[in-house]
Amino acid sequence: MQAQALIDTANELVAPGKGILAADESTGTIKKRLASIDVESTEENRRAYRNLLFTTPGVEDFISGVILFEETLFQKADDGTPFPDLLAAKGIVPGIKVDKGAKPLAGFEGEKVTEGLDGLRERLADYREAGARFAKWRAVIDIGEHIPSDNCIDVNAHALARYAALCQEAGIVPIVEPEVLMDGAHSIERCEAVTARVLARVFAELDAQGVLFEGMLLKPNMVIAGKECPQQAGVAQVAEATLRCLKRYVPAAVPGIVFLSGGQSDEVATAHLDAMNRIGGAPWRLSFSYGRALQAPALKAWSGKPDNVPAAQEAYFKRAKCNGAATRGEYSEDMERAA
Ligand code: 13P
C-alpha cells in the first residue's frame, strides 16, 4: 500500500540516533560555498566534494538520508556508481530538492514565493526512477518591520501543500520546509510569533489539500533571535520556545521534525537539538536536516585538495556523530574535544 510505504520511509528518516544531511545546495549556493575555500565551481569539483561526503566511512550510523540537488542525483561516485545507488547500498535514503528557488513576490516588496510547481508531477516521476524516495521544498519567510504579510505566508503555504500532495501521489515523502529567516535584529519573541503564524497556515493548507501527516516530515527553523539582535537567547531558552511553538501548531500525527541550521554555528545547532531532546515528551521525533552545520568544518578541512579528503571526512563524521547523539539528548561538549 502506497500510504504505508510513505509512513515507513518517513519513520526511517527519523530513526533514533540519526538525521539528514542537506547536500542540495543549488548551483548558486554551492558556488558561494566553494568560493569560500578558493575552489572553482565546476561540475567535477561539485561532484568530487559530494563524493567525499557520501563515501565517508561509517557515517551511515548517524545519517539516515541525504538531500541531493538534481545535478548530483544523476552524477556518479569515483568508482562509477550512481550516487543514489551508493547511498542506498549504505542504508542511506536518497532525497531530492525539487523547488526552483524563492523568487520576488509580485506586489509585495521584500517578500518571496517559492516556484517550481509547473511540471513537478513529471519531474517527480523521473526522480523516483533515479532512486529518490523523499523530497524537499523550501519556502522563505523574512521578518522585517512590516513583513511577513499574510499574503506571503498564504501563497507559500499553498505551494508547500501542492508540492506535498504531488510528492505523496508519486510515492515520495515530502519534507515541508517553511523557513523563517534569522536575518535581522528581531527578538526571539518576534520569531516565535511569526513561526506560529506560518506553521498554523502551513498545516491548515496541508490538511485542506489532503496531505497524509503520517507520511511527511516538517523542516522548520528553530525559534531564535535575529542575527543582529543585541539580546541573544541562551540554549535553554531557544529549546523551550521552539518546543512550545511546535507543540501548539504541529499535529502529533507527523512522525518527525528535522530542523534546518539556518546560519547557526555548527556546535550551537547541535546544542539546541540536544537541549530539546533532553526536555523530552514531544509527540514527534526531533532530529536534524542540516546543511552548513554538518558541512562547514569538512568543507574547510578539504579546501579542494585530494590529500585532505580523510581529514574532511573525519570532520563530517564528527558533526554527524555529535548530532546523532543530540537526537537522543546524549550530546556532551566532551564529544567535541574527543579525537
Ligand atoms: P542549513 O542547515 O545550512 O540552513 O541548510 C539546510 C537546508 O537544507 C536549507 O534549505
Side-chain angles (χ1 to χ4, degrees):
M1 194 177 116
Q2 177 122 316
Q4 193 56 50
L6 292 170
I7 294 166
D8 291 347
T9 299
N11 281 283
E12 186 179 344
L13 288 167
V14 288
K18 294 186 184 185
I20 296 170
L21 166 67
D24 60 325
E25 296 84 3
S26 60
T27 313
T29 304
I30 194 69
K31 189 172 175 199
K32 272 191 257 168
R33 301 276 187 271
L34 292 174
S36 76
I37 53 162
D38 283 324
V39 171
E40 196 192 339
S41 185
T42 61
E43 188 180 342
E44 172 50 24
N45 286 341
R46 294 191 291 270
R47 191 206 62 80
Y49 176 57
R50 268 73 181 242
N51 183 83
L52 170 174
L53 294 174
F54 304 162
T55 58
T56 296
V59 83
E60 58 274 18
D61 288 350
F62 315 108
I63 298 294
S64 56
V66 174
I67 316 174
L68 306 169
F69 188 59
E70 189 182 57
E71 174 186 89
T72 320
L73 184 72
F74 297 101
Q75 282 178 329
K76 294 185 170 78
D78 289 351
D79 70 358
T81 311
F83 279 137
D85 298 355
L86 176 119
L87 293 168
K90 286 166 90 90
I92 296 176
V93 184
I96 174 82
K97 169 206 191 75
V98 304
D99 67 71
K100 296 273 188 190
K103 307 285 162 61
L105 178 60
F108 288 77
E109 206 184 322
E111 298 197 281
K112 290 186 169 150
V113 62
T114 300
E115 297 187 346
L117 289 170
D118 287 353
L120 182 56
R121 176 178 276 126
E122 293 73 23
R123 284 198 288 131
L124 286 169
D126 292 344
Y127 299 152
R128 187 79 185 78
E129 178 76 25
R133 288 170 52 206
F134 73 102
K136 174 189 118 172
W137 177 289
R138 173 174 177 256
V140 181
I141 307 291
D142 217 335
I143 298 183
E145 204 181 336
H146 303 293
I147 59 171
S149 65
D150 286 341
N151 182 53
C152 175
I153 295 174
D154 285 352
V155 295
N156 277 294
H158 189 263
L160 276 167
R162 284 200 55 204
Y163 139 81
L166 282 164
C167 283
Q168 291 189 336
E169 179 192 84
I172 289 178
V173 169
I175 295 189
V176 172
E177 180 179 7
E179 176 176 4
V180 176
L181 296 175
M182 280 173 72
D183 299 335
H186 55 270
S187 65
I188 185 170
E189 289 81 10
R190 184 88 202 286
C191 178
E192 182 170 353
V194 172
T195 302
R197 267 168 77 201
V198 169
L199 292 175
R201 280 304 301 148
V202 166
F203 279 97
E205 278 294 341
L206 291 167
D207 190 32
Q209 297 191 40
V211 173
L212 178 73
F213 292 161
E214 290 84 351
M216 63 161 276
L217 296 174
L218 177 72
K219 176 165 173 169
N221 52 285
M222 294 182 194
V223 172
I224 202 166
K227 267 185 281 196
E228 281 92 51
C229 177
Q231 201 73 44
Q232 289 294 319
V235 170
Q237 195 187 349
V238 169
E240 281 163 26
T242 304
L243 272 181
R244 176 172 59 226
C245 188
L246 293 169
K247 279 185 180 167
R248 286 178 177 158
Y249 298 99
V250 183
V254 173
I257 294 176
V258 290
F259 293 100
L260 58 94
S261 60
Q264 302 176 49
S265 78
D266 45 11
E267 293 185 23
V268 168
T270 308
H272 284 154
L273 177 63
D274 183 65
M276 282 184 251
N277 279 308
R278 277 174 198 268
I279 293 171
W284 350 262
R285 297 208 56 81
L286 293 169
S287 183
F288 58 90
S289 174
Y290 294 158
R292 284 162 285 179
L294 275 171
Q295 295 182 49
L299 186 67
K300 213 169 142 198
W302 178 52
S303 293
K305 298 187 178 68
D307 287 352
N308 293 340
V309 165
Q313 291 186 329
E314 212 172 289
Y316 166 49
F317 181 88
K318 177 174 161 185
R319 291 267 44 89
K321 184 175 180 180
C322 288
N323 284 299
T327 69
R328 302 180 188 269
E330 292 173 0
Y331 164 72
S332 73
E333 281 185 18
D334 294 347
M335 292 180 71
E336 298 294 350
R337 283 182 290 273

